[in-house]
Amino acid sequence: MKKLLTICLLIGASITQVLAKDKVLVFCKTAGFHHNSIAVGVPAIMKLGQENNFDVDSTTNAAKFTIDNLKQYKAVIFLSTTGDVLNDTQQAAFEQYIKTGGGFVGVHAATDTEYDWPWYGKLVGAYFKSHPKQQEATLDVFDRNFIATKHLPETWKRWDEWYNYKWIGDDLHVLIKIDEKSYTGGENGDNHPMAWYHNFDGGRAFYTELGHTDESYADPLYLNHLLGGIKYAMGRKN
């Protein structure tokens, strides 16, 4: 009887595991400039989760960055975070999360975050320097086979806030570059990436510079681009 009960419990646990949805955490703490688009970005990502079978938690509370708490998430999304948002203990927990196969998505100002934490800089892939006024520019989509860019046109004209970088990693698989001839104020020349991904320190990292404006989070092209990055970070193939 005890053996039968054990078998039933194991089956029940397996079914629960199968039925449990993947989950991501949207982290949107700001210690510098606060983007108003965070307010529309969070519900937009929640809607993507509802439509694509994953749950979404959101927080501005850095105390959520513990080893035990982060274990439940397939990916952590830094949605326009700015400045120094995690203390040393929280940083160590996040590093451990990535090293054990976790996923990271950086959106827009995620590159304007944690300048004194070199590991994070390598994870996100670049550090923000400056930006000109918001304007339309032409994006060249280099890799249209990747999950976050396969739906995009080869040339994508778009209005947003375009970052210049003080440092760019050399291990990035660049997906999109901006054509500096198409707008004013670019400072990175021909190598001016706007979206990329890479395997890093045991985990997966995706970054998109796009997403400053509120309108981004109602734009199907942008939302599918962001969704693809989230799926990659979660370890999904499609």
PDB file of all heavy atoms in Angstrom, residues 76 78 94-95 97-99 102-106 117-127 167 171-172 196-201 203-207:
ATOM      1  N   VAL A  76      15.436  36.506 -16.459  1.00  0.00           N
ATOM      2  CA  VAL A  76      15.247  37.764 -15.741  1.00  0.00           C
ATOM      3  C   VAL A  76      15.420  38.901 -16.745  1.00  0.00           C
ATOM      4  O   VAL A  76      16.418  38.950 -17.472  1.00  0.00           O
ATOM      5  CB  VAL A  76      16.250  37.920 -14.585  1.00  0.00           C
ATOM      6  CG1 VAL A  76      16.063  39.277 -13.899  1.00  0.00           C
ATOM      7  CG2 VAL A  76      16.079  36.787 -13.574  1.00  0.00           C
ATOM      8  N   PHE A  78      15.794  42.843 -17.402  1.00  0.00           N
ATOM      9  CA  PHE A  78      16.100  44.179 -16.879  1.00  0.00           C
ATOM     10  C   PHE A  78      15.451  45.190 -17.824  1.00  0.00           C
ATOM     11  O   PHE A  78      15.987  45.488 -18.888  1.00  0.00           O
ATOM     12  CB  PHE A  78      17.613  44.404 -16.803  1.00  0.00           C
ATOM     13  CG  PHE A  78      18.267  43.830 -15.575  1.00  0.00           C
ATOM     14  CD1 PHE A  78      17.988  42.551 -15.127  1.00  0.00           C
ATOM     15  CD2 PHE A  78      19.211  44.570 -14.866  1.00  0.00           C
ATOM     16  CE1 PHE A  78      18.612  42.023 -13.998  1.00  0.00           C
ATOM     17  CE2 PHE A  78      19.842  44.056 -13.743  1.00  0.00           C
ATOM     18  CZ  PHE A  78      19.536  42.781 -13.300  1.00  0.00           C
ATOM     19  N   PHE A  94      22.772  36.840  -8.470  1.00  0.00           N
ATOM     20  CA  PHE A  94      22.447  36.894  -9.896  1.00  0.00           C
ATOM     21  C   PHE A  94      23.539  36.226 -10.735  1.00  0.00           C
ATOM     22  O   PHE A  94      23.240  35.525 -11.704  1.00  0.00           O
ATOM     23  CB  PHE A  94      22.243  38.344 -10.332  1.00  0.00           C
ATOM     24  CG  PHE A  94      21.677  38.467 -11.727  1.00  0.00           C
ATOM     25  CD1 PHE A  94      20.513  37.793 -12.077  1.00  0.00           C
ATOM     26  CD2 PHE A  94      22.310  39.241 -12.678  1.00  0.00           C
ATOM     27  CE1 PHE A  94      19.986  37.893 -13.360  1.00  0.00           C
ATOM     28  CE2 PHE A  94      21.789  39.350 -13.964  1.00  0.00           C
ATOM     29  CZ  PHE A  94      20.630  38.673 -14.302  1.00  0.00           C
ATOM     30  N   GLU A  95      24.785  36.421 -10.347  1.00  0.00           N
ATOM     31  CA  GLU A  95      25.871  35.732 -11.049  1.00  0.00           C
ATOM     32  C   GLU A  95      25.701  34.221 -10.955  1.00  0.00           C
ATOM     33  O   GLU A  95      25.871  33.490 -11.944  1.00  0.00           O
ATOM     34  CB  GLU A  95      27.230  36.153 -10.473  1.00  0.00           C
ATOM     35  CG  GLU A  95      27.642  37.562 -10.830  1.00  0.00           C
ATOM     36  CD  GLU A  95      29.054  37.897 -10.388  1.00  0.00           C
ATOM     37  OE1 GLU A  95      29.861  36.959 -10.186  1.00  0.00           O
ATOM     38  OE2 GLU A  95      29.361  39.102 -10.256  1.00  0.00           O
ATOM     39  N   TYR A  97      22.920  32.626 -10.535  1.00  0.00           N
ATOM     40  CA  TYR A  97      21.753  32.289 -11.365  1.00  0.00           C
ATOM     41  C   TYR A  97      22.163  32.087 -12.825  1.00  0.00           C
ATOM     42  O   TYR A  97      21.761  31.105 -13.467  1.00  0.00           O
ATOM     43  CB  TYR A  97      20.708  33.399 -11.237  1.00  0.00           C
ATOM     44  CG  TYR A  97      19.606  33.334 -12.257  1.00  0.00           C
ATOM     45  CD1 TYR A  97      18.560  32.416 -12.132  1.00  0.00           C
ATOM     46  CD2 TYR A  97      19.606  34.192 -13.354  1.00  0.00           C
ATOM     47  CE1 TYR A  97      17.547  32.350 -13.077  1.00  0.00           C
ATOM     48  CE2 TYR A  97      18.602  34.133 -14.303  1.00  0.00           C
ATOM     49  CZ  TYR A  97      17.575  33.207 -14.163  1.00  0.00           C
ATOM     50  OH  TYR A  97      16.576  33.151 -15.112  1.00  0.00           O
ATOM     51  N   ILE A  98      22.952  33.006 -13.356  1.00  0.00           N
ATOM     52  CA  ILE A  98      23.395  32.891 -14.740  1.00  0.00           C
ATOM     53  C   ILE A  98      24.330  31.698 -14.914  1.00  0.00           C
ATOM     54  O   ILE A  98      24.222  30.921 -15.881  1.00  0.00           O
ATOM     55  CB  ILE A  98      24.080  34.191 -15.204  1.00  0.00           C
ATOM     56  CG1 ILE A  98      23.068  35.348 -15.254  1.00  0.00           C
ATOM     57  CG2 ILE A  98      24.750  34.009 -16.571  1.00  0.00           C
ATOM     58  CD1 ILE A  98      21.965  35.208 -16.264  1.00  0.00           C
ATOM     59  N   LYS A  99      25.231  31.503 -13.969  1.00  0.00           N
ATOM     60  CA  LYS A  99      26.210  30.415 -14.072  1.00  0.00           C
ATOM     61  C   LYS A  99      25.564  29.042 -14.039  1.00  0.00           C
ATOM     62  O   LYS A  99      26.146  28.065 -14.519  1.00  0.00           O
ATOM     63  CB  LYS A  99      27.247  30.542 -12.944  1.00  0.00           C
ATOM     64  CG  LYS A  99      28.212  31.689 -13.151  1.00  0.00           C
ATOM     65  CD  LYS A  99      29.139  31.893 -11.966  1.00  0.00           C
ATOM     66  CE  LYS A  99      30.091  33.051 -12.222  1.00  0.00           C
ATOM     67  NZ  LYS A  99      30.954  33.352 -11.062  1.00  0.00           N
ATOM     68  N   GLY A 102      20.790  30.246 -16.173  1.00  0.00           N
ATOM     69  CA  GLY A 102      19.695  31.207 -16.264  1.00  0.00           C
ATOM     70  C   GLY A 102      19.792  32.084 -17.499  1.00  0.00           C
ATOM     71  O   GLY A 102      20.819  32.145 -18.176  1.00  0.00           O
ATOM     72  N   GLY A 103      18.682  32.784 -17.787  1.00  0.00           N
ATOM     73  CA  GLY A 103      18.621  33.658 -18.950  1.00  0.00           C
ATOM     74  C   GLY A 103      18.482  35.114 -18.552  1.00  0.00           C
ATOM     75  O   GLY A 103      17.888  35.441 -17.516  1.00  0.00           O
ATOM     76  N   PHE A 104      19.028  35.991 -19.390  1.00  0.00           N
ATOM     77  CA  PHE A 104      18.978  37.436 -19.148  1.00  0.00           C
ATOM     78  C   PHE A 104      18.486  38.138 -20.401  1.00  0.00           C
ATOM     79  O   PHE A 104      18.911  37.821 -21.514  1.00  0.00           O
ATOM     80  CB  PHE A 104      20.369  37.956 -18.792  1.00  0.00           C
ATOM     81  CG  PHE A 104      20.489  39.461 -18.803  1.00  0.00           C
ATOM     82  CD1 PHE A 104      20.047  40.218 -17.724  1.00  0.00           C
ATOM     83  CD2 PHE A 104      21.028  40.125 -19.903  1.00  0.00           C
ATOM     84  CE1 PHE A 104      20.152  41.605 -17.731  1.00  0.00           C
ATOM     85  CE2 PHE A 104      21.145  41.512 -19.921  1.00  0.00           C
ATOM     86  CZ  PHE A 104      20.704  42.255 -18.829  1.00  0.00           C
ATOM     87  N   VAL A 105      17.579  39.101 -20.201  1.00  0.00           N
ATOM     88  CA  VAL A 105      17.156  39.998 -21.274  1.00  0.00           C
ATOM     89  C   VAL A 105      17.376  41.426 -20.795  1.00  0.00           C
ATOM     90  O   VAL A 105      16.886  41.813 -19.731  1.00  0.00           O
ATOM     91  CB  VAL A 105      15.671  39.803 -21.642  1.00  0.00           C
ATOM     92  CG1 VAL A 105      15.216  40.856 -22.654  1.00  0.00           C
ATOM     93  CG2 VAL A 105      15.430  38.402 -22.189  1.00  0.00           C
ATOM     94  N   GLY A 106      18.117  42.201 -21.556  1.00  0.00           N
ATOM     95  CA  GLY A 106      18.300  43.612 -21.255  1.00  0.00           C
ATOM     96  C   GLY A 106      17.528  44.442 -22.262  1.00  0.00           C
ATOM     97  O   GLY A 106      17.627  44.216 -23.471  1.00  0.00           O
ATOM     98  N   TRP A 117      30.259  47.207 -12.035  1.00  0.00           N
ATOM     99  CA  TRP A 117      30.172  45.748 -11.915  1.00  0.00           C
ATOM    100  C   TRP A 117      30.577  45.153 -13.262  1.00  0.00           C
ATOM    101  O   TRP A 117      29.721  44.942 -14.128  1.00  0.00           O
ATOM    102  CB  TRP A 117      28.737  45.375 -11.534  1.00  0.00           C
ATOM    103  CG  TRP A 117      28.446  43.936 -11.316  1.00  0.00           C
ATOM    104  CD1 TRP A 117      29.319  42.900 -11.140  1.00  0.00           C
ATOM    105  CD2 TRP A 117      27.127  43.356 -11.243  1.00  0.00           C
ATOM    106  NE1 TRP A 117      28.645  41.715 -10.975  1.00  0.00           N
ATOM    107  CE2 TRP A 117      27.299  41.974 -11.025  1.00  0.00           C
ATOM    108  CE3 TRP A 117      25.846  43.886 -11.335  1.00  0.00           C
ATOM    109  CZ2 TRP A 117      26.207  41.110 -10.915  1.00  0.00           C
ATOM    110  CZ3 TRP A 117      24.763  43.029 -11.229  1.00  0.00           C
ATOM    111  CH2 TRP A 117      24.947  41.652 -11.007  1.00  0.00           C
ATOM    112  N   PRO A 118      31.869  44.908 -13.484  1.00  0.00           N
ATOM    113  CA  PRO A 118      32.349  44.476 -14.796  1.00  0.00           C
ATOM    114  C   PRO A 118      31.672  43.212 -15.322  1.00  0.00           C
ATOM    115  O   PRO A 118      31.458  43.076 -16.535  1.00  0.00           O
ATOM    116  CB  PRO A 118      33.853  44.247 -14.563  1.00  0.00           C
ATOM    117  CG  PRO A 118      34.190  45.104 -13.390  1.00  0.00           C
ATOM    118  CD  PRO A 118      32.968  45.096 -12.517  1.00  0.00           C
ATOM    119  N   TRP A 119      31.340  42.281 -14.443  1.00  0.00           N
ATOM    120  CA  TRP A 119      30.662  41.053 -14.875  1.00  0.00           C
ATOM    121  C   TRP A 119      29.342  41.396 -15.555  1.00  0.00           C
ATOM    122  O   TRP A 119      29.013  40.820 -16.603  1.00  0.00           O
ATOM    123  CB  TRP A 119      30.424  40.135 -13.674  1.00  0.00           C
ATOM    124  CG  TRP A 119      29.733  38.845 -14.011  1.00  0.00           C
ATOM    125  CD1 TRP A 119      30.329  37.657 -14.346  1.00  0.00           C
ATOM    126  CD2 TRP A 119      28.319  38.607 -14.049  1.00  0.00           C
ATOM    127  NE1 TRP A 119      29.369  36.692 -14.593  1.00  0.00           N
ATOM    128  CE2 TRP A 119      28.124  37.258 -14.414  1.00  0.00           C
ATOM    129  CE3 TRP A 119      27.196  39.401 -13.808  1.00  0.00           C
ATOM    130  CZ2 TRP A 119      26.863  36.689 -14.555  1.00  0.00           C
ATOM    131  CZ3 TRP A 119      25.937  38.845 -13.942  1.00  0.00           C
ATOM    132  CH2 TRP A 119      25.771  37.502 -14.315  1.00  0.00           C
ATOM    133  N   TYR A 120      28.592  42.328 -14.980  1.00  0.00           N
ATOM    134  CA  TYR A 120      27.312  42.721 -15.579  1.00  0.00           C
ATOM    135  C   TYR A 120      27.535  43.366 -16.949  1.00  0.00           C
ATOM    136  O   TYR A 120      26.781  43.106 -17.901  1.00  0.00           O
ATOM    137  CB  TYR A 120      26.553  43.684 -14.666  1.00  0.00           C
ATOM    138  CG  TYR A 120      25.283  44.192 -15.311  1.00  0.00           C
ATOM    139  CD1 TYR A 120      24.111  43.434 -15.271  1.00  0.00           C
ATOM    140  CD2 TYR A 120      25.268  45.410 -15.993  1.00  0.00           C
ATOM    141  CE1 TYR A 120      22.951  43.887 -15.898  1.00  0.00           C
ATOM    142  CE2 TYR A 120      24.121  45.862 -16.617  1.00  0.00           C
ATOM    143  CZ  TYR A 120      22.964  45.102 -16.568  1.00  0.00           C
ATOM    144  OH  TYR A 120      21.824  45.548 -17.203  1.00  0.00           O
ATOM    145  N   GLY A 121      28.566  44.204 -17.045  1.00  0.00           N
ATOM    146  CA  GLY A 121      28.856  44.815 -18.337  1.00  0.00           C
ATOM    147  C   GLY A 121      29.086  43.777 -19.417  1.00  0.00           C
ATOM    148  O   GLY A 121      28.585  43.900 -20.538  1.00  0.00           O
ATOM    149  N   LYS A 122      29.834  42.735 -19.085  1.00  0.00           N
ATOM    150  CA  LYS A 122      30.074  41.664 -20.053  1.00  0.00           C
ATOM    151  C   LYS A 122      28.792  40.899 -20.364  1.00  0.00           C
ATOM    152  O   LYS A 122      28.584  40.461 -21.497  1.00  0.00           O
ATOM    153  CB  LYS A 122      31.147  40.719 -19.512  1.00  0.00           C
ATOM    154  CG  LYS A 122      32.520  41.363 -19.424  1.00  0.00           C
ATOM    155  CD  LYS A 122      33.520  40.432 -18.754  1.00  0.00           C
ATOM    156  CE  LYS A 122      34.870  41.107 -18.578  1.00  0.00           C
ATOM    157  NZ  LYS A 122      35.831  40.250 -17.833  1.00  0.00           N
ATOM    158  N   LEU A 123      27.941  40.730 -19.360  1.00  0.00           N
ATOM    159  CA  LEU A 123      26.658  40.040 -19.569  1.00  0.00           C
ATOM    160  C   LEU A 123      25.772  40.816 -20.537  1.00  0.00           C
ATOM    161  O   LEU A 123      25.296  40.273 -21.539  1.00  0.00           O
ATOM    162  CB  LEU A 123      25.932  39.872 -18.232  1.00  0.00           C
ATOM    163  CG  LEU A 123      24.492  39.333 -18.299  1.00  0.00           C
ATOM    164  CD1 LEU A 123      24.498  37.832 -18.609  1.00  0.00           C
ATOM    165  CD2 LEU A 123      23.753  39.608 -16.993  1.00  0.00           C
ATOM    166  N   VAL A 124      25.532  42.091 -20.251  1.00  0.00           N
ATOM    167  CA  VAL A 124      24.624  42.891 -21.075  1.00  0.00           C
ATOM    168  C   VAL A 124      25.258  43.230 -22.421  1.00  0.00           C
ATOM    169  O   VAL A 124      24.556  43.363 -23.421  1.00  0.00           O
ATOM    170  CB  VAL A 124      24.175  44.164 -20.327  1.00  0.00           C
ATOM    171  CG1 VAL A 124      25.284  45.156 -20.167  1.00  0.00           C
ATOM    172  CG2 VAL A 124      22.968  44.817 -20.998  1.00  0.00           C
ATOM    173  N   GLY A 125      26.586  43.378 -22.461  1.00  0.00           N
ATOM    174  CA  GLY A 125      27.291  43.479 -23.728  1.00  0.00           C
ATOM    175  C   GLY A 125      27.787  44.860 -24.114  1.00  0.00           C
ATOM    176  O   GLY A 125      28.534  44.994 -25.083  1.00  0.00           O
ATOM    177  N   ALA A 126      27.380  45.912 -23.403  1.00  0.00           N
ATOM    178  CA  ALA A 126      27.831  47.267 -23.722  1.00  0.00           C
ATOM    179  C   ALA A 126      27.473  48.189 -22.561  1.00  0.00           C
ATOM    180  O   ALA A 126      26.647  47.848 -21.706  1.00  0.00           O
ATOM    181  CB  ALA A 126      27.179  47.774 -25.014  1.00  0.00           C
ATOM    182  N   TYR A 127      28.099  49.360 -22.564  1.00  0.00           N
ATOM    183  CA  TYR A 127      27.749  50.401 -21.603  1.00  0.00           C
ATOM    184  C   TYR A 127      27.375  51.686 -22.337  1.00  0.00           C
ATOM    185  O   TYR A 127      28.088  52.133 -23.239  1.00  0.00           O
ATOM    186  CB  TYR A 127      28.901  50.688 -20.645  1.00  0.00           C
ATOM    187  CG  TYR A 127      28.975  49.761 -19.450  1.00  0.00           C
ATOM    188  CD1 TYR A 127      30.167  49.136 -19.107  1.00  0.00           C
ATOM    189  CD2 TYR A 127      27.856  49.520 -18.646  1.00  0.00           C
ATOM    190  CE1 TYR A 127      30.255  48.299 -17.999  1.00  0.00           C
ATOM    191  CE2 TYR A 127      27.929  48.682 -17.540  1.00  0.00           C
ATOM    192  CZ  TYR A 127      29.128  48.077 -17.222  1.00  0.00           C
ATOM    193  OH  TYR A 127      29.208  47.250 -16.128  1.00  0.00           O
ATOM    194  N   TRP A 167      31.561  51.504 -24.465  1.00  0.00           N
ATOM    195  CA  TRP A 167      32.246  50.213 -24.558  1.00  0.00           C
ATOM    196  C   TRP A 167      31.273  49.196 -25.145  1.00  0.00           C
ATOM    197  O   TRP A 167      30.083  49.198 -24.818  1.00  0.00           O
ATOM    198  CB  TRP A 167      32.710  49.739 -23.184  1.00  0.00           C
ATOM    199  CG  TRP A 167      33.247  48.334 -23.184  1.00  0.00           C
ATOM    200  CD1 TRP A 167      34.507  47.946 -23.529  1.00  0.00           C
ATOM    201  CD2 TRP A 167      32.528  47.134 -22.864  1.00  0.00           C
ATOM    202  NE1 TRP A 167      34.616  46.571 -23.437  1.00  0.00           N
ATOM    203  CE2 TRP A 167      33.414  46.060 -23.032  1.00  0.00           C
ATOM    204  CE3 TRP A 167      31.211  46.870 -22.456  1.00  0.00           C
ATOM    205  CZ2 TRP A 167      33.035  44.733 -22.808  1.00  0.00           C
ATOM    206  CZ3 TRP A 167      30.831  45.561 -22.241  1.00  0.00           C
ATOM    207  CH2 TRP A 167      31.744  44.497 -22.406  1.00  0.00           C
ATOM    208  N   ASP A 171      32.341  39.690 -27.980  1.00  0.00           N
ATOM    209  CA  ASP A 171      31.887  38.299 -28.115  1.00  0.00           C
ATOM    210  C   ASP A 171      30.400  38.230 -28.453  1.00  0.00           C
ATOM    211  O   ASP A 171      29.737  37.221 -28.204  1.00  0.00           O
ATOM    212  CB  ASP A 171      32.152  37.522 -26.821  1.00  0.00           C
ATOM    213  CG  ASP A 171      31.295  38.025 -25.657  1.00  0.00           C
ATOM    214  OD1 ASP A 171      30.903  39.214 -25.685  1.00  0.00           O
ATOM    215  OD2 ASP A 171      31.016  37.230 -24.742  1.00  0.00           O
ATOM    216  N   LEU A 172      29.861  39.292 -29.040  1.00  0.00           N
ATOM    217  CA  LEU A 172      28.420  39.385 -29.274  1.00  0.00           C
ATOM    218  C   LEU A 172      28.055  38.883 -30.666  1.00  0.00           C
ATOM    219  O   LEU A 172      28.761  39.163 -31.646  1.00  0.00           O
ATOM    220  CB  LEU A 172      27.961  40.836 -29.132  1.00  0.00           C
ATOM    221  CG  LEU A 172      28.410  41.574 -27.873  1.00  0.00           C
ATOM    222  CD1 LEU A 172      27.977  43.035 -27.943  1.00  0.00           C
ATOM    223  CD2 LEU A 172      27.856  40.900 -26.622  1.00  0.00           C
ATOM    224  N   TRP A 196      21.623  42.211 -29.885  1.00  0.00           N
ATOM    225  CA  TRP A 196      22.567  41.107 -29.969  1.00  0.00           C
ATOM    226  C   TRP A 196      22.211  40.026 -28.952  1.00  0.00           C
ATOM    227  O   TRP A 196      21.356  40.200 -28.087  1.00  0.00           O
ATOM    228  CB  TRP A 196      23.985  41.601 -29.721  1.00  0.00           C
ATOM    229  CG  TRP A 196      24.195  42.332 -28.423  1.00  0.00           C
ATOM    230  CD1 TRP A 196      24.304  41.804 -27.160  1.00  0.00           C
ATOM    231  CD2 TRP A 196      24.317  43.750 -28.244  1.00  0.00           C
ATOM    232  NE1 TRP A 196      24.500  42.783 -26.219  1.00  0.00           N
ATOM    233  CE2 TRP A 196      24.506  43.996 -26.855  1.00  0.00           C
ATOM    234  CE3 TRP A 196      24.284  44.845 -29.112  1.00  0.00           C
ATOM    235  CZ2 TRP A 196      24.661  45.276 -26.332  1.00  0.00           C
ATOM    236  CZ3 TRP A 196      24.448  46.118 -28.591  1.00  0.00           C
ATOM    237  CH2 TRP A 196      24.627  46.326 -27.216  1.00  0.00           C
ATOM    238  N   TYR A 197      22.903  38.899 -29.073  1.00  0.00           N
ATOM    239  CA  TYR A 197      22.796  37.852 -28.052  1.00  0.00           C
ATOM    240  C   TYR A 197      24.146  37.167 -27.926  1.00  0.00           C
ATOM    241  O   TYR A 197      25.004  37.285 -28.797  1.00  0.00           O
ATOM    242  CB  TYR A 197      21.691  36.841 -28.401  1.00  0.00           C
ATOM    243  CG  TYR A 197      22.011  35.913 -29.544  1.00  0.00           C
ATOM    244  CD1 TYR A 197      22.580  34.656 -29.321  1.00  0.00           C
ATOM    245  CD2 TYR A 197      21.747  36.285 -30.872  1.00  0.00           C
ATOM    246  CE1 TYR A 197      22.871  33.804 -30.382  1.00  0.00           C
ATOM    247  CE2 TYR A 197      22.032  35.442 -31.924  1.00  0.00           C
ATOM    248  CZ  TYR A 197      22.593  34.208 -31.678  1.00  0.00           C
ATOM    249  OH  TYR A 197      22.891  33.367 -32.715  1.00  0.00           O
ATOM    250  N   HIS A 198      24.326  36.462 -26.828  1.00  0.00           N
ATOM    251  CA  HIS A 198      25.522  35.627 -26.678  1.00  0.00           C
ATOM    252  C   HIS A 198      25.324  34.685 -25.501  1.00  0.00           C
ATOM    253  O   HIS A 198      24.541  34.945 -24.592  1.00  0.00           O
ATOM    254  CB  HIS A 198      26.804  36.467 -26.495  1.00  0.00           C
ATOM    255  CG  HIS A 198      26.848  37.329 -25.271  1.00  0.00           C
ATOM    256  ND1 HIS A 198      28.022  37.680 -24.644  1.00  0.00           N
ATOM    257  CD2 HIS A 198      25.877  37.939 -24.539  1.00  0.00           C
ATOM    258  CE1 HIS A 198      27.788  38.459 -23.613  1.00  0.00           C
ATOM    259  NE2 HIS A 198      26.492  38.637 -23.517  1.00  0.00           N
ATOM    260  N   ASN A 199      26.044  33.566 -25.557  1.00  0.00           N
ATOM    261  CA  ASN A 199      26.143  32.685 -24.401  1.00  0.00           C
ATOM    262  C   ASN A 199      27.180  33.303 -23.475  1.00  0.00           C
ATOM    263  O   ASN A 199      28.253  33.711 -23.919  1.00  0.00           O
ATOM    264  CB  ASN A 199      26.583  31.279 -24.821  1.00  0.00           C
ATOM    265  CG  ASN A 199      25.529  30.572 -25.637  1.00  0.00           C
ATOM    266  OD1 ASN A 199      24.340  30.746 -25.400  1.00  0.00           O
ATOM    267  ND2 ASN A 199      25.952  29.795 -26.613  1.00  0.00           N
ATOM    268  N   PHE A 200      26.849  33.381 -22.183  1.00  0.00           N
ATOM    269  CA  PHE A 200      27.776  34.038 -21.279  1.00  0.00           C
ATOM    270  C   PHE A 200      27.799  33.356 -19.924  1.00  0.00           C
ATOM    271  O   PHE A 200      26.760  33.232 -19.267  1.00  0.00           O
ATOM    272  CB  PHE A 200      27.394  35.518 -21.099  1.00  0.00           C
ATOM    273  CG  PHE A 200      28.283  36.237 -20.121  1.00  0.00           C
ATOM    274  CD1 PHE A 200      29.569  36.601 -20.466  1.00  0.00           C
ATOM    275  CD2 PHE A 200      27.847  36.510 -18.829  1.00  0.00           C
ATOM    276  CE1 PHE A 200      30.404  37.237 -19.561  1.00  0.00           C
ATOM    277  CE2 PHE A 200      28.667  37.149 -17.906  1.00  0.00           C
ATOM    278  CZ  PHE A 200      29.958  37.511 -18.283  1.00  0.00           C
ATOM    279  N   ASP A 201      28.956  32.903 -19.528  1.00  0.00           N
ATOM    280  CA  ASP A 201      29.212  32.389 -18.172  1.00  0.00           C
ATOM    281  C   ASP A 201      28.205  31.329 -17.745  1.00  0.00           C
ATOM    282  O   ASP A 201      27.765  31.293 -16.596  1.00  0.00           O
ATOM    283  CB  ASP A 201      29.224  33.557 -17.175  1.00  0.00           C
ATOM    284  CG  ASP A 201      30.097  33.271 -15.952  1.00  0.00           C
ATOM    285  OD1 ASP A 201      30.832  32.263 -15.978  1.00  0.00           O
ATOM    286  OD2 ASP A 201      30.029  34.044 -14.986  1.00  0.00           O
ATOM    287  N   GLY A 203      25.109  30.917 -18.990  1.00  0.00           N
ATOM    288  CA  GLY A 203      23.721  31.287 -19.286  1.00  0.00           C
ATOM    289  C   GLY A 203      23.569  31.894 -20.668  1.00  0.00           C
ATOM    290  O   GLY A 203      24.478  31.843 -21.501  1.00  0.00           O
ATOM    291  N   ARG A 204      22.394  32.490 -20.920  1.00  0.00           N
ATOM    292  CA  ARG A 204      22.072  33.095 -22.212  1.00  0.00           C
ATOM    293  C   ARG A 204      21.695  34.556 -21.984  1.00  0.00           C
ATOM    294  O   ARG A 204      20.929  34.868 -21.064  1.00  0.00           O
ATOM    295  CB  ARG A 204      20.890  32.370 -22.876  1.00  0.00           C
ATOM    296  CG  ARG A 204      21.153  30.912 -23.194  1.00  0.00           C
ATOM    297  CD  ARG A 204      19.870  30.176 -23.552  1.00  0.00           C
ATOM    298  NE  ARG A 204      18.901  30.252 -22.462  1.00  0.00           N
ATOM    299  CZ  ARG A 204      18.920  29.474 -21.378  1.00  0.00           C
ATOM    300  NH1 ARG A 204      19.881  28.575 -21.239  1.00  0.00           N
ATOM    301  NH2 ARG A 204      18.006  29.611 -20.439  1.00  0.00           N
ATOM    302  N   ALA A 205      22.201  35.440 -22.836  1.00  0.00           N
ATOM    303  CA  ALA A 205      21.915  36.866 -22.682  1.00  0.00           C
ATOM    304  C   ALA A 205      21.498  37.474 -24.015  1.00  0.00           C
ATOM    305  O   ALA A 205      22.141  37.242 -25.047  1.00  0.00           O
ATOM    306  CB  ALA A 205      23.140  37.604 -22.137  1.00  0.00           C
ATOM    307  N   PHE A 206      20.437  38.260 -23.970  1.00  0.00           N
ATOM    308  CA  PHE A 206      19.929  38.987 -25.140  1.00  0.00           C
ATOM    309  C   PHE A 206      19.750  40.443 -24.748  1.00  0.00           C
ATOM    310  O   PHE A 206      19.313  40.744 -23.634  1.00  0.00           O
ATOM    311  CB  PHE A 206      18.576  38.404 -25.570  1.00  0.00           C
ATOM    312  CG  PHE A 206      17.835  39.242 -26.586  1.00  0.00           C
ATOM    313  CD1 PHE A 206      18.096  39.112 -27.937  1.00  0.00           C
ATOM    314  CD2 PHE A 206      16.859  40.159 -26.179  1.00  0.00           C
ATOM    315  CE1 PHE A 206      17.411  39.890 -28.875  1.00  0.00           C
ATOM    316  CE2 PHE A 206      16.174  40.936 -27.102  1.00  0.00           C
ATOM    317  CZ  PHE A 206      16.452  40.801 -28.457  1.00  0.00           C
ATOM    318  N   TYR A 207      20.089  41.343 -25.656  1.00  0.00           N
ATOM    319  CA  TYR A 207      19.880  42.761 -25.394  1.00  0.00           C
ATOM    320  C   TYR A 207      19.297  43.436 -26.626  1.00  0.00           C
ATOM    321  O   TYR A 207      19.731  43.173 -27.755  1.00  0.00           O
ATOM    322  CB  TYR A 207      21.198  43.461 -25.032  1.00  0.00           C
ATOM    323  CG  TYR A 207      21.059  44.972 -24.955  1.00  0.00           C
ATOM    324  CD1 TYR A 207      20.460  45.585 -23.851  1.00  0.00           C
ATOM    325  CD2 TYR A 207      21.492  45.787 -26.004  1.00  0.00           C
ATOM    326  CE1 TYR A 207      20.310  46.973 -23.790  1.00  0.00           C
ATOM    327  CE2 TYR A 207      21.343  47.166 -25.942  1.00  0.00           C
ATOM    328  CZ  TYR A 207      20.752  47.750 -24.836  1.00  0.00           C
ATOM    329  OH  TYR A 207      20.594  49.115 -24.779  1.00  0.00           O
TER     330      TYR A 207
END
